[in-house]
Amino acid sequence: MVSEQPQTISPLLLARNREHIKGSIGLDLLPRLKDIVAKSEGQVQYSFSFDIDQDEICIIKAYVDTRISVICQRCLKPISIDIERNSILGIFSNSEELDRLDNEYEPFELDEETISLDMLIEDELLLAMPIAPLHNDNKCKDKNTTKRSTKNIKENPFSVLKKLKNNKA
Ligand SMILES: [Zn+2]
């Protein structure tokens, strides 16, 4: 697998230079996603535009797009779903910066100067994942299977839930 992209990136530096990164990565290279999908085949297309807004906040305009196979929570058979997500991440490293973030931004905490590009892609995909994917009614093979199977859902990392909560606040 050839990757021309660096594995770690410095968002603040990229924002200062107004850089743009795009490419694709195999689903099999994203470990947290691998736990959730039924088959880790296929590619994720991504693009990130780094910028600084009028309030001097570093932002990342993120786009991810892929097709994944997950387990239907009704019949427990695989189902293919398209995942596409556009978001604007507002970078912060302390509470004062967090307070200044525009409401339309997704808060993105930066603890260290560099982050893993793969993790950034993975975070975006995880946030776009449906909590309980289901076939359309007529495609579900076994409707008697209990709806309450949460095996796959439990494996959603807590960080995702935390992030979702933050967004609502
Ligand atoms: Zn189903």
Side-chain angles (χ1 to χ4, degrees), residues 5-6 18 53-54 57 62 64 68 70 78 106 108 113 120 137-139 155-156 162:
Q5 302 300 337
R18 266 77 174 176
D53 75 359
Q54 68 274 16
I57 301 281
V64 289
I68 55 166
V70 287
E106 314 271 350
F108 185 88
E113 203 186 316
L120 183 59
D137 273 354
N138 53 2
K139 283 187 186 159
E155 288 167 3
N156 263 331
K162 212 172 114 192

Side-chain angles (χ1 to χ4, degrees), residues 9-24:
I9 56 170
S10 169
L12 300 182
L13 187 65
L14 292 169
R16 251 176 261 138
N17 295 330
R18 266 77 174 176
E19 301 249 15
H20 186 79
I21 294 179
K22 68 186 284 192
S24 65

